[in-house]
Each structure stands twice: as structure tokens, then as C-alpha cells.
Short mmCIF file of all heavy atoms in Angstrom, two decimals:
data_model
loop_
_atom_site.label_atom_id
_atom_site.label_comp_id
_atom_site.label_asym_id
_atom_site.label_seq_id
_atom_site.Cartn_x
_atom_site.Cartn_y
_atom_site.Cartn_z
N GLU A 239 0.82 -1.21 0.00
CA GLU A 239 0.00 0.00 0.00
C GLU A 239 0.85 1.26 0.00
O GLU A 239 0.42 2.30 -0.49
CB GLU A 239 -0.96 -0.01 1.19
CG GLU A 239 -2.07 -1.04 1.09
CD GLU A 239 -2.90 -0.88 -0.18
OE1 GLU A 239 -3.28 0.23 -0.55
OE2 GLU A 239 -3.13 -1.93 -0.82
N ASP A 240 2.06 1.18 0.55
CA ASP A 240 2.94 2.35 0.57
C ASP A 240 3.26 2.85 -0.83
O ASP A 240 3.49 4.04 -1.02
CB ASP A 240 4.24 2.04 1.31
CG ASP A 240 4.06 1.85 2.79
OD1 ASP A 240 3.00 2.24 3.32
OD2 ASP A 240 4.97 1.32 3.44
N LEU A 241 3.30 1.97 -1.80
CA LEU A 241 3.68 2.34 -3.16
C LEU A 241 2.51 2.38 -4.13
O LEU A 241 2.70 2.56 -5.32
CB LEU A 241 4.74 1.36 -3.68
CG LEU A 241 6.07 1.42 -2.94
CD1 LEU A 241 6.94 0.24 -3.34
CD2 LEU A 241 6.77 2.73 -3.22
N ARG A 242 1.31 2.22 -3.63
CA ARG A 242 0.12 2.19 -4.50
C ARG A 242 0.05 3.42 -5.39
O ARG A 242 -0.23 3.32 -6.59
CB ARG A 242 -1.14 2.05 -3.66
CG ARG A 242 -2.44 2.10 -4.45
CD ARG A 242 -2.60 1.04 -5.49
NE ARG A 242 -2.64 -0.29 -4.90
CZ ARG A 242 -2.60 -1.40 -5.61
NH1 ARG A 242 -2.53 -1.36 -6.92
NH2 ARG A 242 -2.64 -2.57 -5.04
N SER A 243 0.35 4.60 -4.86
CA SER A 243 0.25 5.83 -5.66
C SER A 243 1.25 5.83 -6.81
O SER A 243 0.96 6.34 -7.90
CB SER A 243 0.45 7.07 -4.78
OG SER A 243 1.76 7.10 -4.24
N VAL A 244 2.43 5.24 -6.61
CA VAL A 244 3.43 5.16 -7.68
C VAL A 244 2.90 4.30 -8.83
O VAL A 244 3.00 4.67 -10.00
CB VAL A 244 4.76 4.56 -7.15
CG1 VAL A 244 5.76 4.34 -8.27
CG2 VAL A 244 5.35 5.45 -6.06
N PHE A 245 2.29 3.18 -8.49
CA PHE A 245 1.72 2.31 -9.52
C PHE A 245 0.55 2.99 -10.22
O PHE A 245 0.43 2.91 -11.43
CB PHE A 245 1.28 0.97 -8.90
CG PHE A 245 2.45 0.05 -8.63
CD1 PHE A 245 3.12 0.10 -7.43
CD2 PHE A 245 2.86 -0.85 -9.59
CE1 PHE A 245 4.19 -0.74 -7.18
CE2 PHE A 245 3.94 -1.69 -9.37
CZ PHE A 245 4.61 -1.63 -8.15
N ASP A 246 -0.29 3.67 -9.46
CA ASP A 246 -1.44 4.37 -10.05
C ASP A 246 -0.98 5.47 -11.00
O ASP A 246 -1.52 5.61 -12.09
CB ASP A 246 -2.33 4.94 -8.96
CG ASP A 246 -3.08 3.86 -8.19
OD1 ASP A 246 -3.13 2.70 -8.67
OD2 ASP A 246 -3.60 4.18 -7.11
N GLN A 247 0.01 6.25 -10.59
CA GLN A 247 0.51 7.35 -11.43
C GLN A 247 1.09 6.83 -12.74
O GLN A 247 0.93 7.45 -13.79
CB GLN A 247 1.59 8.15 -10.69
CG GLN A 247 1.06 9.02 -9.59
CD GLN A 247 2.18 9.65 -8.77
OE1 GLN A 247 3.35 9.31 -8.92
NE2 GLN A 247 1.81 10.56 -7.89
N ARG A 248 1.76 5.71 -12.68
CA ARG A 248 2.38 5.14 -13.88
C ARG A 248 1.44 4.22 -14.65
O ARG A 248 1.80 3.65 -15.67
CB ARG A 248 3.65 4.38 -13.51
CG ARG A 248 4.65 5.30 -12.83
CD ARG A 248 6.09 5.01 -13.07
NE ARG A 248 6.46 4.17 -14.17
CZ ARG A 248 6.88 4.61 -15.36
NH1 ARG A 248 6.93 5.89 -15.62
NH2 ARG A 248 7.26 3.75 -16.29
N ARG A 249 0.22 4.07 -14.12
CA ARG A 249 -0.78 3.19 -14.74
C ARG A 249 -0.24 1.77 -14.94
O ARG A 249 -0.36 1.17 -16.01
CB ARG A 249 -1.27 3.79 -16.05
CG ARG A 249 -2.04 5.07 -15.86
CD ARG A 249 -2.62 5.55 -17.19
NE ARG A 249 -3.37 6.77 -17.00
CZ ARG A 249 -2.87 7.99 -17.18
NH1 ARG A 249 -1.62 8.14 -17.55
NH2 ARG A 249 -3.62 9.06 -16.99
N VAL A 250 0.40 1.28 -13.88
CA VAL A 250 0.93 -0.08 -13.86
C VAL A 250 0.09 -0.89 -12.88
O VAL A 250 -0.11 -0.48 -11.74
CB VAL A 250 2.42 -0.08 -13.44
CG1 VAL A 250 2.93 -1.50 -13.24
CG2 VAL A 250 3.27 0.65 -14.47
N ALA A 251 -0.41 -2.02 -13.35
CA ALA A 251 -1.23 -2.88 -12.50
C ALA A 251 -0.33 -3.67 -11.55
O ALA A 251 0.68 -4.22 -11.96
CB ALA A 251 -2.05 -3.84 -13.35
N LEU A 252 -0.70 -3.71 -10.29
CA LEU A 252 0.02 -4.48 -9.28
C LEU A 252 -0.90 -5.56 -8.74
O LEU A 252 -2.00 -5.26 -8.28
CB LEU A 252 0.49 -3.59 -8.14
CG LEU A 252 1.12 -4.30 -6.94
CD1 LEU A 252 2.39 -5.05 -7.35
CD2 LEU A 252 1.41 -3.30 -5.83
N SER A 253 -0.46 -6.81 -8.83
CA SER A 253 -1.23 -7.90 -8.24
C SER A 253 -0.34 -8.62 -7.23
O SER A 253 0.88 -8.66 -7.37
CB SER A 253 -1.74 -8.88 -9.30
OG SER A 253 -0.66 -9.50 -9.95
N CYS A 254 -0.97 -9.16 -6.21
CA CYS A 254 -0.27 -9.87 -5.14
C CYS A 254 -0.86 -11.25 -4.99
O CYS A 254 -2.08 -11.37 -4.86
CB CYS A 254 -0.38 -9.11 -3.83
SG CYS A 254 0.30 -7.45 -3.88
N ARG A 255 0.02 -12.25 -5.03
CA ARG A 255 -0.44 -13.62 -4.79
C ARG A 255 0.23 -14.12 -3.53
O ARG A 255 1.46 -14.07 -3.40
CB ARG A 255 -0.07 -14.53 -5.96
CG ARG A 255 -0.87 -14.23 -7.20
CD ARG A 255 -0.74 -15.27 -8.26
NE ARG A 255 0.65 -15.63 -8.52
CZ ARG A 255 1.02 -16.70 -9.22
NH1 ARG A 255 0.11 -17.53 -9.70
NH2 ARG A 255 2.28 -16.95 -9.45
N THR A 256 -0.58 -14.58 -2.60
CA THR A 256 -0.08 -15.11 -1.35
C THR A 256 -0.76 -16.43 -1.06
O THR A 256 -1.73 -16.80 -1.71
CB THR A 256 -0.33 -14.13 -0.18
OG1 THR A 256 -1.74 -13.91 -0.06
CG2 THR A 256 0.35 -12.79 -0.41
N GLU A 257 -0.25 -17.10 -0.07
CA GLU A 257 -0.84 -18.36 0.33
C GLU A 257 -2.06 -18.09 1.21
O GLU A 257 -2.24 -16.99 1.72
CB GLU A 257 0.19 -19.19 1.09
CG GLU A 257 1.45 -19.37 0.24
CD GLU A 257 2.14 -20.68 0.46
OE1 GLU A 257 1.84 -21.37 1.44
OE2 GLU A 257 2.98 -21.02 -0.37
N ASP A 258 -2.88 -19.11 1.38
CA ASP A 258 -4.07 -18.97 2.21
C ASP A 258 -3.71 -18.77 3.69
O ASP A 258 -4.38 -18.04 4.40
CB ASP A 258 -4.98 -20.19 2.07
CG ASP A 258 -5.58 -20.27 0.67
OD1 ASP A 258 -5.73 -19.23 0.02
OD2 ASP A 258 -5.90 -21.40 0.24
N GLU A 259 -2.65 -19.43 4.13
CA GLU A 259 -2.23 -19.32 5.52
C GLU A 259 -1.16 -18.23 5.66
O GLU A 259 -0.35 -18.04 4.75
CB GLU A 259 -1.65 -20.66 6.00
CG GLU A 259 -2.65 -21.79 5.99
CD GLU A 259 -3.79 -21.57 6.97
OE1 GLU A 259 -3.53 -21.09 8.09
OE2 GLU A 259 -4.94 -21.86 6.61
N PRO A 260 -1.13 -17.53 6.79
CA PRO A 260 -0.10 -16.51 6.99
C PRO A 260 1.30 -17.12 7.01
O PRO A 260 1.49 -18.27 7.40
CB PRO A 260 -0.42 -15.91 8.36
CG PRO A 260 -1.67 -16.52 8.83
CD PRO A 260 -2.02 -17.65 7.93
N ILE A 261 2.27 -16.33 6.56
CA ILE A 261 3.68 -16.72 6.61
C ILE A 261 4.36 -15.78 7.59
O ILE A 261 4.32 -14.57 7.42
CB ILE A 261 4.33 -16.62 5.22
CG1 ILE A 261 3.64 -17.56 4.24
CG2 ILE A 261 5.82 -16.92 5.30
CD1 ILE A 261 4.11 -17.38 2.81
N PHE A 262 4.98 -16.34 8.60
CA PHE A 262 5.66 -15.53 9.61
C PHE A 262 7.14 -15.50 9.32
O PHE A 262 7.76 -16.54 9.07
CB PHE A 262 5.39 -16.10 11.01
CG PHE A 262 3.93 -16.06 11.38
CD1 PHE A 262 3.13 -17.17 11.23
CD2 PHE A 262 3.37 -14.88 11.84
CE1 PHE A 262 1.78 -17.12 11.54
CE2 PHE A 262 2.03 -14.82 12.15
CZ PHE A 262 1.23 -15.94 12.01
N ILE A 263 7.71 -14.29 9.33
CA ILE A 263 9.12 -14.12 9.01
C ILE A 263 9.81 -13.51 10.23
O ILE A 263 9.36 -12.49 10.77
CB ILE A 263 9.31 -13.19 7.79
CG1 ILE A 263 8.63 -13.81 6.58
CG2 ILE A 263 10.78 -12.93 7.53
CD1 ILE A 263 8.59 -12.91 5.37
N ASP A 264 10.90 -14.14 10.65
CA ASP A 264 11.71 -13.63 11.75
C ASP A 264 12.85 -12.82 11.13
O ASP A 264 13.84 -13.40 10.68
CB ASP A 264 12.24 -14.78 12.59
CG ASP A 264 13.04 -14.31 13.79
OD1 ASP A 264 12.89 -13.13 14.18
OD2 ASP A 264 13.83 -15.11 14.33
N GLY A 265 12.68 -11.52 11.06
CA GLY A 265 13.69 -10.66 10.45
C GLY A 265 13.48 -9.22 10.85
O GLY A 265 12.50 -8.87 11.51
N ASP A 266 14.40 -8.38 10.47
CA ASP A 266 14.35 -6.95 10.78
C ASP A 266 13.25 -6.32 9.91
O ASP A 266 13.40 -6.23 8.69
CB ASP A 266 15.70 -6.32 10.47
CG ASP A 266 15.78 -4.85 10.80
OD1 ASP A 266 14.74 -4.16 10.82
OD2 ASP A 266 16.90 -4.37 11.05
N PRO A 267 12.15 -5.88 10.52
CA PRO A 267 11.03 -5.35 9.74
C PRO A 267 11.40 -4.11 8.92
O PRO A 267 10.88 -3.92 7.82
CB PRO A 267 9.96 -5.04 10.78
CG PRO A 267 10.66 -5.00 12.08
CD PRO A 267 11.88 -5.84 11.96
N VAL A 268 12.31 -3.29 9.42
CA VAL A 268 12.71 -2.09 8.68
C VAL A 268 13.46 -2.49 7.41
O VAL A 268 13.19 -1.98 6.32
CB VAL A 268 13.57 -1.16 9.56
CG1 VAL A 268 14.13 0.00 8.75
CG2 VAL A 268 12.75 -0.64 10.73
N ARG A 269 14.40 -3.43 7.54
CA ARG A 269 15.18 -3.87 6.38
C ARG A 269 14.32 -4.64 5.38
O ARG A 269 14.47 -4.49 4.17
CB ARG A 269 16.36 -4.74 6.81
CG ARG A 269 17.39 -3.98 7.58
CD ARG A 269 18.10 -2.99 6.66
NE ARG A 269 19.04 -2.22 7.44
CZ ARG A 269 19.16 -0.91 7.38
NH1 ARG A 269 18.41 -0.21 6.55
NH2 ARG A 269 20.02 -0.28 8.13
N LEU A 270 13.42 -5.47 5.88
CA LEU A 270 12.52 -6.20 4.98
C LEU A 270 11.65 -5.24 4.19
O LEU A 270 11.49 -5.38 2.98
CB LEU A 270 11.67 -7.19 5.77
CG LEU A 270 12.43 -8.41 6.32
CD1 LEU A 270 11.55 -9.17 7.30
CD2 LEU A 270 12.90 -9.30 5.19
N ALA A 271 11.10 -4.24 4.86
CA ALA A 271 10.28 -3.23 4.18
C ALA A 271 11.12 -2.48 3.15
O ALA A 271 10.64 -2.18 2.05
CB ALA A 271 9.67 -2.27 5.19
N GLN A 272 12.36 -2.20 3.49
CA GLN A 272 13.26 -1.49 2.57
C GLN A 272 13.53 -2.34 1.32
O GLN A 272 13.46 -1.85 0.19
CB GLN A 272 14.57 -1.18 3.29
CG GLN A 272 15.54 -0.35 2.49
CD GLN A 272 16.80 -0.05 3.29
OE1 GLN A 272 17.26 -0.89 4.07
NE2 GLN A 272 17.34 1.12 3.11
N VAL A 273 13.84 -3.61 1.50
CA VAL A 273 14.13 -4.49 0.37
C VAL A 273 12.90 -4.64 -0.53
O VAL A 273 12.98 -4.46 -1.75
CB VAL A 273 14.60 -5.88 0.87
CG1 VAL A 273 14.62 -6.90 -0.27
CG2 VAL A 273 15.96 -5.77 1.51
N PHE A 274 11.75 -4.95 0.07
CA PHE A 274 10.54 -5.12 -0.73
C PHE A 274 10.12 -3.81 -1.39
O PHE A 274 9.67 -3.80 -2.53
CB PHE A 274 9.40 -5.69 0.11
CG PHE A 274 9.71 -7.05 0.70
CD1 PHE A 274 9.23 -7.39 1.94
CD2 PHE A 274 10.47 -7.96 0.01
CE1 PHE A 274 9.52 -8.64 2.49
CE2 PHE A 274 10.76 -9.21 0.54
CZ PHE A 274 10.28 -9.55 1.78
N GLY A 275 10.27 -2.71 -0.68
CA GLY A 275 9.96 -1.40 -1.25
C GLY A 275 10.83 -1.09 -2.45
O GLY A 275 10.35 -0.58 -3.47
N ASN A 276 12.13 -1.41 -2.36
CA ASN A 276 13.05 -1.17 -3.48
C ASN A 276 12.68 -2.03 -4.68
O ASN A 276 12.68 -1.56 -5.82
CB ASN A 276 14.49 -1.45 -3.06
CG ASN A 276 15.06 -0.37 -2.17
OD1 ASN A 276 14.53 0.72 -2.08
ND2 ASN A 276 16.15 -0.69 -1.49
N LEU A 277 12.39 -3.31 -4.43
CA LEU A 277 12.01 -4.20 -5.53
C LEU A 277 10.75 -3.69 -6.25
O LEU A 277 10.70 -3.63 -7.48
CB LEU A 277 11.77 -5.61 -5.01
CG LEU A 277 13.00 -6.41 -4.59
CD1 LEU A 277 12.58 -7.69 -3.87
CD2 LEU A 277 13.87 -6.72 -5.79
N LEU A 278 9.75 -3.34 -5.48
CA LEU A 278 8.49 -2.88 -6.08
C LEU A 278 8.63 -1.51 -6.73
O LEU A 278 8.07 -1.26 -7.80
CB LEU A 278 7.38 -2.87 -5.03
CG LEU A 278 6.94 -4.26 -4.58
CD1 LEU A 278 6.00 -4.15 -3.38
CD2 LEU A 278 6.26 -5.00 -5.72
N SER A 279 9.40 -0.63 -6.10
CA SER A 279 9.62 0.70 -6.67
C SER A 279 10.32 0.60 -8.02
O SER A 279 9.94 1.26 -8.99
CB SER A 279 10.44 1.55 -5.69
OG SER A 279 10.68 2.82 -6.23
N ASN A 280 11.36 -0.24 -8.10
CA ASN A 280 12.07 -0.43 -9.37
C ASN A 280 11.16 -1.06 -10.42
O ASN A 280 11.20 -0.69 -11.59
CB ASN A 280 13.31 -1.29 -9.17
CG ASN A 280 14.43 -0.52 -8.51
OD1 ASN A 280 14.46 0.71 -8.53
ND2 ASN A 280 15.36 -1.24 -7.92
N ALA A 281 10.35 -2.02 -10.00
CA ALA A 281 9.42 -2.65 -10.95
C ALA A 281 8.45 -1.62 -11.51
O ALA A 281 8.20 -1.59 -12.72
CB ALA A 281 8.67 -3.80 -10.28
N ALA A 282 7.92 -0.76 -10.66
CA ALA A 282 6.99 0.28 -11.12
C ALA A 282 7.70 1.27 -12.03
O ALA A 282 7.16 1.70 -13.05
CB ALA A 282 6.37 1.00 -9.93
N LYS A 283 8.91 1.61 -11.68
CA LYS A 283 9.68 2.62 -12.41
C LYS A 283 10.05 2.16 -13.82
O LYS A 283 10.02 2.93 -14.77
CB LYS A 283 10.95 2.92 -11.62
CG LYS A 283 11.84 4.00 -12.15
CD LYS A 283 12.98 4.17 -11.16
CE LYS A 283 13.94 5.24 -11.56
NZ LYS A 283 15.05 5.35 -10.60
N PHE A 284 10.39 0.87 -13.97
CA PHE A 284 10.89 0.38 -15.25
C PHE A 284 9.88 -0.45 -16.04
O PHE A 284 10.22 -1.00 -17.08
CB PHE A 284 12.18 -0.42 -15.02
CG PHE A 284 13.30 0.43 -14.50
CD1 PHE A 284 13.73 0.32 -13.19
CD2 PHE A 284 13.89 1.38 -15.31
CE1 PHE A 284 14.75 1.13 -12.70
CE2 PHE A 284 14.91 2.20 -14.84
CZ PHE A 284 15.35 2.06 -13.53
N THR A 285 8.66 -0.50 -15.57
CA THR A 285 7.60 -1.15 -16.32
C THR A 285 6.87 -0.09 -17.14
O THR A 285 6.52 0.96 -16.61
CB THR A 285 6.61 -1.86 -15.36
OG1 THR A 285 7.33 -2.88 -14.65
CG2 THR A 285 5.46 -2.49 -16.12
N PRO A 286 6.66 -0.33 -18.41
CA PRO A 286 6.01 0.69 -19.23
C PRO A 286 4.56 0.94 -18.78
O PRO A 286 3.92 0.06 -18.20
CB PRO A 286 6.05 0.10 -20.64
CG PRO A 286 6.28 -1.35 -20.47
CD PRO A 286 6.97 -1.54 -19.15
N GLU A 287 4.09 2.14 -19.08
CA GLU A 287 2.70 2.49 -18.76
C GLU A 287 1.76 1.43 -19.33
O GLU A 287 1.92 0.99 -20.46
CB GLU A 287 2.37 3.86 -19.34
CG GLU A 287 0.99 4.34 -18.95
CD GLU A 287 0.72 5.75 -19.41
OE1 GLU A 287 1.54 6.64 -19.12
OE2 GLU A 287 -0.32 5.96 -20.06
N GLY A 288 0.81 1.03 -18.53
CA GLY A 288 -0.13 0.01 -18.93
C GLY A 288 0.36 -1.41 -18.67
O GLY A 288 -0.33 -2.37 -18.94
N GLY A 289 1.59 -1.53 -18.12
CA GLY A 289 2.16 -2.84 -17.85
C GLY A 289 1.64 -3.43 -16.55
O GLY A 289 0.71 -2.91 -15.92
N ARG A 290 2.28 -4.52 -16.14
CA ARG A 290 1.85 -5.19 -14.92
C ARG A 290 3.05 -5.65 -14.10
O ARG A 290 4.11 -5.96 -14.65
CB ARG A 290 0.97 -6.38 -15.22
CG ARG A 290 1.66 -7.48 -15.97
CD ARG A 290 0.95 -8.82 -15.90
NE ARG A 290 1.89 -9.88 -16.24
CZ ARG A 290 2.76 -10.43 -15.41
NH1 ARG A 290 2.81 -10.05 -14.16
NH2 ARG A 290 3.59 -11.37 -15.81
N VAL A 291 2.84 -5.69 -12.80
CA VAL A 291 3.83 -6.20 -11.85
C VAL A 291 3.10 -7.19 -10.96
O VAL A 291 1.97 -6.92 -10.52
CB VAL A 291 4.44 -5.06 -11.00
CG1 VAL A 291 5.33 -5.62 -9.90
CG2 VAL A 291 5.21 -4.09 -11.87
N GLU A 292 3.73 -8.32 -10.71
CA GLU A 292 3.13 -9.31 -9.82
C GLU A 292 4.09 -9.64 -8.69
O GLU A 292 5.25 -9.95 -8.93
CB GLU A 292 2.79 -10.59 -10.58
CG GLU A 292 2.15 -11.64 -9.68
CD GLU A 292 1.76 -12.88 -10.43
OE1 GLU A 292 0.62 -12.91 -10.93
OE2 GLU A 292 2.60 -13.79 -10.54
N LEU A 293 3.59 -9.55 -7.48
CA LEU A 293 4.33 -9.92 -6.28
C LEU A 293 3.77 -11.26 -5.80
O LEU A 293 2.55 -11.41 -5.68
CB LEU A 293 4.14 -8.87 -5.19
CG LEU A 293 4.64 -9.24 -3.80
CD1 LEU A 293 6.16 -9.25 -3.77
CD2 LEU A 293 4.11 -8.25 -2.77
N GLN A 294 4.65 -12.22 -5.60
CA GLN A 294 4.21 -13.53 -5.09
C GLN A 294 5.02 -13.87 -3.86
O GLN A 294 6.24 -13.72 -3.84
CB GLN A 294 4.40 -14.61 -6.15
CG GLN A 294 3.97 -15.97 -5.68
CD GLN A 294 4.13 -17.05 -6.74
OE1 GLN A 294 4.50 -16.79 -7.88
NE2 GLN A 294 3.85 -18.28 -6.37
N VAL A 295 4.32 -14.33 -2.82
CA VAL A 295 4.97 -14.77 -1.59
C VAL A 295 4.48 -16.18 -1.30
O VAL A 295 3.27 -16.43 -1.32
CB VAL A 295 4.61 -13.85 -0.41
CG1 VAL A 295 5.31 -14.31 0.86
CG2 VAL A 295 4.96 -12.40 -0.72
N ARG A 296 5.43 -17.09 -1.07
CA ARG A 296 5.02 -18.45 -0.76
C ARG A 296 6.02 -19.08 0.22
O ARG A 296 7.19 -18.72 0.23
CB ARG A 296 4.90 -19.31 -2.01
CG ARG A 296 6.19 -19.55 -2.72
CD ARG A 296 5.96 -20.27 -4.06
NE ARG A 296 7.22 -20.62 -4.66
CZ ARG A 296 7.67 -21.85 -4.79
NH1 ARG A 296 6.96 -22.87 -4.36
NH2 ARG A 296 8.84 -22.08 -5.35
N ALA A 297 5.52 -20.00 1.01
CA ALA A 297 6.35 -20.75 1.95
C ALA A 297 7.01 -21.89 1.19
O ALA A 297 6.34 -22.63 0.48
CB ALA A 297 5.52 -21.27 3.10
N LEU A 298 8.31 -22.02 1.34
CA LEU A 298 9.02 -23.15 0.74
C LEU A 298 8.99 -24.35 1.68
O LEU A 298 8.89 -25.48 1.24
CB LEU A 298 10.45 -22.78 0.42
CG LEU A 298 10.64 -21.67 -0.63
CD1 LEU A 298 12.11 -21.36 -0.82
CD2 LEU A 298 10.00 -22.06 -1.95
N ASP A 299 9.13 -24.07 2.96
CA ASP A 299 9.03 -25.09 4.00
C ASP A 299 8.80 -24.36 5.32
O ASP A 299 8.50 -23.16 5.32
CB ASP A 299 10.26 -26.01 4.03
CG ASP A 299 11.58 -25.25 4.18
OD1 ASP A 299 11.63 -24.28 4.97
OD2 ASP A 299 12.55 -25.62 3.50
N ALA A 300 8.97 -25.04 6.43
CA ALA A 300 8.68 -24.43 7.74
C ALA A 300 9.65 -23.31 8.10
O ALA A 300 9.35 -22.49 8.97
CB ALA A 300 8.70 -25.50 8.82
N ARG A 301 10.80 -23.22 7.44
CA ARG A 301 11.81 -22.23 7.81
C ARG A 301 12.13 -21.22 6.70
O ARG A 301 12.90 -20.29 6.92
CB ARG A 301 13.09 -22.93 8.22
CG ARG A 301 12.91 -23.83 9.45
CD ARG A 301 14.21 -24.41 9.93
NE ARG A 301 15.28 -23.45 10.05
CZ ARG A 301 15.56 -22.77 11.17
NH1 ARG A 301 14.85 -22.95 12.24
NH2 ARG A 301 16.57 -21.92 11.20
N ARG A 302 11.57 -21.40 5.51
CA ARG A 302 11.95 -20.53 4.41
C ARG A 302 10.73 -20.06 3.63
O ARG A 302 9.76 -20.80 3.47
CB ARG A 302 12.89 -21.24 3.44
CG ARG A 302 14.19 -21.68 4.07
CD ARG A 302 15.10 -22.39 3.12
NE ARG A 302 14.41 -23.52 2.49
CZ ARG A 302 14.67 -23.98 1.27
NH1 ARG A 302 15.59 -23.41 0.53
NH2 ARG A 302 14.03 -25.01 0.78
N ALA A 303 10.84 -18.82 3.15
CA ALA A 303 9.80 -18.25 2.29
C ALA A 303 10.48 -17.71 1.03
O ALA A 303 11.68 -17.42 1.03
CB ALA A 303 9.05 -17.13 3.00
N GLU A 304 9.70 -17.57 -0.02
CA GLU A 304 10.22 -17.04 -1.28
C GLU A 304 9.34 -15.87 -1.72
O GLU A 304 8.12 -15.98 -1.72
CB GLU A 304 10.20 -18.12 -2.35
CG GLU A 304 10.67 -17.65 -3.71
CD GLU A 304 10.65 -18.77 -4.72
OE1 GLU A 304 9.54 -19.14 -5.16
OE2 GLU A 304 11.74 -19.28 -5.04
N VAL A 305 9.99 -14.78 -2.06
CA VAL A 305 9.30 -13.60 -2.58
C VAL A 305 9.77 -13.39 -4.00
O VAL A 305 10.98 -13.34 -4.26
CB VAL A 305 9.60 -12.35 -1.72
CG1 VAL A 305 8.95 -11.12 -2.32
CG2 VAL A 305 9.17 -12.56 -0.28
N THR A 306 8.83 -13.26 -4.93
CA THR A 306 9.15 -13.06 -6.34
C THR A 306 8.43 -11.82 -6.83
O THR A 306 7.25 -11.63 -6.54
CB THR A 306 8.67 -14.27 -7.17
OG1 THR A 306 9.23 -15.46 -6.63
CG2 THR A 306 9.09 -14.14 -8.62
N VAL A 307 9.15 -10.98 -7.54
CA VAL A 307 8.55 -9.81 -8.20
C VAL A 307 8.81 -9.97 -9.69
O VAL A 307 9.95 -10.06 -10.12
CB VAL A 307 9.16 -8.49 -7.69
CG1 VAL A 307 8.56 -7.31 -8.44
CG2 VAL A 307 8.94 -8.33 -6.19
N GLU A 308 7.73 -10.05 -10.46
CA GLU A 308 7.83 -10.17 -11.92
C GLU A 308 7.14 -8.98 -12.55
O GLU A 308 6.09 -8.53 -12.07
CB GLU A 308 7.16 -11.46 -12.41
CG GLU A 308 7.86 -12.72 -11.99
CD GLU A 308 7.21 -13.96 -12.58
OE1 GLU A 308 6.45 -13.85 -13.56
OE2 GLU A 308 7.45 -15.04 -12.03
N ASP A 309 7.73 -8.48 -13.63
CA ASP A 309 7.10 -7.38 -14.36
C ASP A 309 7.31 -7.60 -15.85
O ASP A 309 8.04 -8.49 -16.25
CB ASP A 309 7.65 -6.02 -13.91
CG ASP A 309 9.13 -5.88 -14.15
OD1 ASP A 309 9.54 -5.92 -15.33
OD2 ASP A 309 9.89 -5.71 -13.18
N ASP A 310 6.67 -6.79 -16.66
CA ASP A 310 6.87 -6.91 -18.10
C ASP A 310 7.66 -5.74 -18.65
O ASP A 310 7.48 -5.33 -19.79
CB ASP A 310 5.53 -7.14 -18.84
CG ASP A 310 4.47 -6.12 -18.51
OD1 ASP A 310 4.78 -5.14 -17.81
OD2 ASP A 310 3.33 -6.30 -18.94
N GLY A 311 8.60 -5.27 -17.84
CA GLY A 311 9.55 -4.26 -18.30
C GLY A 311 10.63 -4.89 -19.15
O GLY A 311 10.68 -6.11 -19.33
N VAL A 312 11.56 -4.08 -19.66
CA VAL A 312 12.58 -4.59 -20.57
C VAL A 312 13.63 -5.42 -19.87
O VAL A 312 14.33 -6.21 -20.50
CB VAL A 312 13.28 -3.42 -21.35
CG1 VAL A 312 12.28 -2.73 -22.25
CG2 VAL A 312 13.94 -2.46 -20.41
N GLY A 313 13.81 -5.26 -18.59
CA GLY A 313 14.79 -6.05 -17.85
C GLY A 313 16.18 -5.44 -17.91
O GLY A 313 16.40 -4.36 -18.47
N ILE A 314 17.13 -6.17 -17.36
CA ILE A 314 18.52 -5.71 -17.28
C ILE A 314 19.33 -6.51 -18.30
O ILE A 314 19.21 -7.73 -18.39
CB ILE A 314 19.08 -5.94 -15.87
CG1 ILE A 314 18.27 -5.12 -14.85
CG2 ILE A 314 20.55 -5.57 -15.79
CD1 ILE A 314 18.61 -5.44 -13.42
N ASP A 315 20.17 -5.81 -19.03
CA ASP A 315 21.05 -6.46 -20.01
C ASP A 315 21.93 -7.48 -19.28
O ASP A 315 22.61 -7.13 -18.31
CB ASP A 315 21.91 -5.40 -20.69
CG ASP A 315 22.80 -5.97 -21.79
OD1 ASP A 315 22.91 -7.20 -21.92
OD2 ASP A 315 23.41 -5.16 -22.50
N PRO A 316 21.94 -8.74 -19.73
CA PRO A 316 22.75 -9.76 -19.04
C PRO A 316 24.23 -9.41 -18.95
O PRO A 316 24.91 -9.85 -18.04
CB PRO A 316 22.55 -11.02 -19.90
CG PRO A 316 21.29 -10.77 -20.65
CD PRO A 316 21.19 -9.29 -20.84
N ALA A 317 24.73 -8.65 -19.90
CA ALA A 317 26.17 -8.28 -19.86
C ALA A 317 26.42 -7.36 -18.69
O ALA A 317 27.47 -7.27 -18.15
CB ALA A 317 26.55 -7.60 -21.17
#
């Protein structure tokens, strides 16, 4: 929700997929918010107007979670 206005201004659709059950993470909430904020901010910034960004969070097992941010921007040159 912190970045909703950025997505709205750029007319980029943001969708979030999560599991039915909550996922609890033992970590520094400030740093986690900073990392996720940076990922989403960059996705919004480099996705063309009318594009889409998808955030997915899923539990891998009892001790690990995976966060994926996908967008339809041009991406980073592999070189």
C-alpha cells in the first residue's frame, strides 16, 4: 500500500499472490520493508505504462519463504 500511488501514477497494475495461511518471518522489519519497497519501486519505475507487476509470496518449508517480483519491463542487459 505504501507504493500504490506510484503504480497508479504510472498506470501499472500491481497484483499480489499469497498463500491462504499466513507466513511468519523472523527478520528486521525495517530492512525487509526497505528491500521489498526497493524491488516494487524499481518494478513500477521500469515497467512501461499500462504494464503489470506481480508480487508472489510463498512458503518453501517451515523455515523458508520465497518472494518473487515479476514485471513486463525490458529487464537488465545480461552483460
